[in-house]
Amino acid sequence: MSQLPPPTRTGRAPQQQADEYNDAPLVFRPATKDGHKARLSIQGPSGSGKTWTGLQIAAGLAEGKRFAVIDTERGAASLYLDDIRTPFDTLPMHNYDPHNLVKALATAGHAGYPVVMVDSLTHFWKGADGTLDQVEKFAKEKFGGNTFAGWGPAGALQNDMIEALMAYPGHVVATMRASEKWALERGRKDPVSKGIQAEQRKGIEFEFGVAAEMNTDNQLRFIKARCPAFRGLELDQPDGARDIAKPYLDWLRAGAKEIDPAVWIDAAGSETATPDSLLALYREVEAASALATPLMHPESGQPTSLGDYIRMRGTALKAAAQQ
């Protein structure tokens, strides 16, 4: 089943709650790096050093502050506690329904962690109740065993998870297991290595601003880098904080200003908010590509997105005013 071509990520369509929220005007704005955070992935086979390197990068991005690790690797990150000078907290996970990662991200965001590391993202693809299991589940329960049809709702869960990861209000580091790809070429009897393939949805690494792969010799190679300092760069036993986190932060901050999503969240829940102020806030968050920012709903305690929360409050206030 894993050989089936997954659907292209388009994101789940928002619920039709109010035309004024859904029918946004198309407005071009000056380009800016304001508020952008690090989005970095590391893929590699077992023993390549991706957890250790990822922790170093996370510590460098955190700049001395405590950061969070969403742990699917049976406590592997905690083994490096004495070697990482920056303190970190872990959230062990054993069920990998994509919705659970959204909830974990909302919890981390609510706690104010400046950096969250997911070690590893692979489990939410092929682990227990991960996306591949969800495909089979939906196929059996809703589509008479039609696996291809199961990709629809399962893909939507995967999409929501990636949107929440990319919209986390702090920096993100994600590791992914990987396996080597081999192929037979014309005129050769032995298979030829074609590099390594992340064990996640095909092309997942390109969702990140910076993507790297590591081999068992602890050599790191950047396979995608919006940050110019990393383009074409290969590092032997890299120091994640010095060699990666620092130049990444320097580039993100050059000519940019910080944006604190907590200000948006506070404004969304303000007692003085009005339908008009919430619609204006929605447009501001939308312009910053932050509608998918995960957060815990102040009343229900369930994970939601910043965009949905603003829209819900604005719609409720407008309905109450019309009564």
Side-chain angles (χ1 to χ4, degrees):
M1 183 202 63
S2 60
Q3 299 301 314
L4 287 174
T8 302
R9 182 169 73 85
T10 58
R12 182 178 295 181
Q15 296 179 349
Q16 299 298 314
Q17 294 184 355
D19 289 341
E20 58 190 354
Y21 285 94
N22 298 322
D23 296 334
L26 301 179
V27 179
F28 286 94
R29 297 177 174 85
T32 175
K33 291 195 295 184
D34 294 352
H36 279 257
K37 302 292 185 180
R39 300 286 183 261
L40 183 143
S41 69
I42 305 174
Q43 60 192 51
S46 176
S48 59
K50 55 187 179 295
T51 296
W52 164 246
T53 304
L55 284 170
Q56 288 183 309
I57 295 170
L61 294 172
E63 298 181 298
K65 298 179 181 179
R66 185 178 292 270
F67 64 93
V69 176
I70 298 173
D71 173 31
T72 73
E73 294 286 354
R74 299 180 178 85
S78 297
L79 296 175
Y80 298 109
L81 177 63
D82 295 334
D83 303 303
I84 300 293
R85 295 182 180 180
T86 302
F88 61 92
D89 298 328
T90 64
L91 175 64
M93 301 197 75
H94 308 285
N95 179 282
Y96 311 113
D97 184 323
H99 180 75
N100 287 340
L101 180 54
V102 175
K103 186 175 182 178
L105 291 166
T107 302
H110 182 75
Y113 289 107
V115 181
V116 66
M117 175 177 168
V118 183
D119 186 44
S120 70
L121 195 57
T122 290
H123 290 75
F124 295 98
W125 176 251
K126 59 182 295 185
D129 287 330
T131 298
L132 294 181
D133 273 2
Q134 296 295 330
V135 172
E136 294 287 1
K137 176 182 176 181
F138 285 117
K140 180 179 180 180
E141 295 180 356
K142 294 187 175 183
F143 304 108
N146 186 333
T147 300
F148 189 82
W151 273 106
L157 289 176
Q158 169 87 2
N159 295 343
D160 287 349
M161 178 187 74
I162 298 302
E163 290 291 346
L165 189 64
M166 294 300 109
Y168 182 73
H171 303 295
V172 171
V173 177
T175 67
M176 291 180 284
R177 295 180 178 185
S179 55
E180 195 163 8
K181 297 181 296 183
W182 297 87
L184 286 173
E185 293 185 348
R186 181 177 298 179
R188 297 180 63 102
K189 294 183 178 180
D190 298 324
V192 176
S193 175
K194 297 295 183 179
I196 61 174
Q197 174 70 52
E199 296 179 6
Q200 241 289 345
R201 174 178 278 187
K202 184 177 181 180
I204 184 69
E205 61 270 27
F206 298 109
E207 299 285 356
F208 295 84
V210 173
E213 61 181 26
M214 299 188 72
N215 61 27
T216 52
D217 292 325
N218 199 215
Q219 296 170 326
L220 181 146
R221 181 176 73 91
F222 290 96
I223 55 178
K224 175 194 173 179
R226 291 195 175 110
C227 177
F230 301 143
R231 292 172 186 166
L233 184 63
E234 297 185 10
L235 298 170
D236 186 27
Q237 298 183 342
D239 180 310
R242 181 194 64 208
D243 299 333
I244 301 174
K246 185 181 185 306
Y248 200 175
L249 284 176
D250 289 345
W251 175 70
L252 285 171
R253 291 171 175 171
K257 65 180 181 180
E258 292 287 330
I259 295 178
D260 185 2
V263 175
W264 291 329
I265 295 172
D266 290 343
S270 172
E271 294 182 358
T272 62
T274 66
D276 287 343
S277 71
L278 288 168
L279 181 58
L281 178 64
Y282 188 92
R283 292 286 174 256
E284 180 182 343
V285 175
E286 184 179 43
S289 300
L291 290 176
T293 300
L295 75 156
M296 302 302 291
H297 194 288
E299 297 175 6
S300 69
Q302 294 300 308
T304 185
S305 69
L306 179 56
D308 283 348
Y309 179 53
I310 296 172
R311 187 169 50 202
M312 178 209 67
R313 284 216 71 213
T315 302
L317 288 175
K318 187 172 184 177
Q322 293 174 343
Q323 292 179 353

